[in-house]
Amino acid sequence: INAEYMGYIFLNMGCGSTRKVRDPSKPNVSFMLGGPGCGKGTQCSKIVKEFPNVVHLSAGELLREEMASGSKNAILIDTYIKEGKIVPVKITCGLLKQAMEKHGWEKKEFIVDGYPRNKDNYDGWEAEIGSSVNILQVLSLECPKEVMLDRVMKRSTTGGRTDDNITSFNKRYDTYLNETWPIIEMFRKKGLVRSINVARTIDEIFADVKKLFQQIKAEISKLYNLSLIHISEPTRRYAISYAVFCLKKKNK
């Protein structure tokens, strides 16, 4: 029996803790949210270098790749983007799920960059993927608007993105403030948000990001390594039997 799965079964029997723990049969997901110019992509690239088992997924990149692939959704995606509309959430979530499966659905941890950005995104995620994954944390990259604008404008002078201009920045910032921030607050009420001050150097920011990832991994290990030392032998045997039963039921 997988030790991690055994710990999960044992804890959820109520023998060791009343705290809700993640299901080890499901992949783990961290969200990274923040306004334009917060450095989400930069931090995600450093995360995957430091933690090789973590896969970075960007909803925007997945949509652009799908559009370029010539798939049945390519024309639809292209049309929505050209008309300035939000691509149907079902398509975006489907692409995210496909990417997760491609990288190893049960063996990997994922950092999803820039999603969910609004209530529609969140509802779509919950409907399409929510119950299939464990949400570990939501990293909220935060800094003053002036810092974001300064970074975006500097990026525009070095071959940045087409939306690296003041007009687009203001629209993106308003979307972040009015639509994304309420989602961050919703996650905060669930105790999932880890706020990070990004008005600092890249390395200073990553020092905190790295620490958060290390802390949550330590938390998980602590939960699953709660030994069965303090329980009676009959309870230990019952826990093992119950774990076997759950595994057989899961594999049917």
Side-chain angles (χ1 to χ4, degrees):
I1 299 172
N2 180 281
E4 188 181 35
Y5 194 80
M6 179 65 206
Y8 168 74
I9 292 297
F10 181 71
L11 288 175
N12 281 284
M13 286 170 60
C15 301
S17 170
T18 57
R19 178 175 176 176
K20 183 179 180 182
V21 295
R22 70 181 183 94
D23 184 342
S25 69
K26 298 177 181 180
N28 298 317
V29 174
S30 294
F31 290 126
M32 180 174 285
L33 297 171
C38 274
K40 297 184 291 295
T42 299
Q43 291 302 314
C44 283
S45 66
K46 292 181 76 66
I47 288 171
V48 297
K49 288 180 181 178
E50 183 70 28
F51 303 96
N53 63 316
V54 177
V55 175
H56 172 211
L57 298 178
S58 166
E61 288 182 10
L62 290 172
L63 286 170
R64 286 188 286 272
E65 289 174 4
E66 183 71 6
M67 189 169 62
S69 72
S71 71
K72 64 179 181 180
N73 289 324
I75 296 176
L76 180 64
I77 294 171
D78 186 44
T79 300
Y80 270 82
I81 291 177
K82 284 181 177 178
E83 293 179 358
K85 297 179 180 179
I86 296 177
V87 174
V89 175
K90 190 170 183 177
I91 293 177
T92 308
C93 285
L95 291 174
L96 284 168
K97 189 171 183 178
Q98 286 175 23
M100 292 166 77
E101 291 172 339
K102 176 183 176 182
H103 287 286
W105 182 254
E106 295 182 0
K107 298 179 181 179
K108 293 286 186 178
E109 294 188 9
F110 301 89
I111 176 77
V112 179
D113 162 18
Y115 195 92
R117 290 181 181 271
N118 58 22
K119 184 64 164 55
D120 188 46
N121 281 177
Y122 175 80
D123 290 342
W125 173 275
E126 285 297 299
E128 297 294 324
I129 302 178
S131 62
S132 302
V133 303
N134 302 303
I135 302 299
L136 296 184
Q137 60 186 343
V138 178
L139 303 181
S140 176
L141 306 191
E142 302 170 9
C143 67
K145 180 180 180 180
E146 294 73 21
V147 174
M148 296 185 203
L149 177 58
D150 181 61
R151 290 178 179 173
V152 168
M153 297 313 296
K154 284 181 179 178
R155 188 170 64 187
S156 70
T157 64
T158 58
R161 301 174 348 188
T162 56
D163 55 356
D164 283 344
N165 57 74
I166 293 179
T167 301
S168 293
F169 170 83
N170 287 329
K171 291 180 180 178
R172 291 161 60 200
Y173 182 80
D174 287 344
T175 297
Y176 164 70
L177 201 62
N178 299 321
E179 298 189 45
T180 306
W181 188 254
I183 298 301
I184 293 173
E185 288 301 302
M186 182 186 67
F187 280 125
R188 196 185 305 277
K189 290 178 181 178
K190 296 182 179 182
L192 292 171
V193 172
R194 312 288 185 261
S195 296
I196 301 170
N197 170 22
V198 295
R200 299 175 293 165
T201 67
I202 291 174
D203 289 338
E204 287 173 334
I205 297 166
F206 185 65
D208 284 350
V209 171
K210 179 180 176 180
K211 189 181 298 183
L212 287 171
F213 267 81
Q214 291 172 330
Q215 286 175 350
I216 202 161
K217 285 178 179 295
E219 270 184 38
I220 291 171
S221 295
K222 186 176 181 180
L223 281 173
Y224 290 119
N225 290 328
L226 283 175
S227 69
L228 308 185
I229 293 174
H230 302 295
I231 66 170
S232 66
E233 186 59 30
T235 303
R236 186 194 307 272
R237 288 197 299 269
Y238 177 74
I240 293 172
S241 297
Y242 185 63
V244 172
F245 167 77
C246 290
L247 282 169
K248 287 181 178 178
K249 185 177 180 181
K250 176 178 179 289
N251 294 326
K252 279 186 177 179

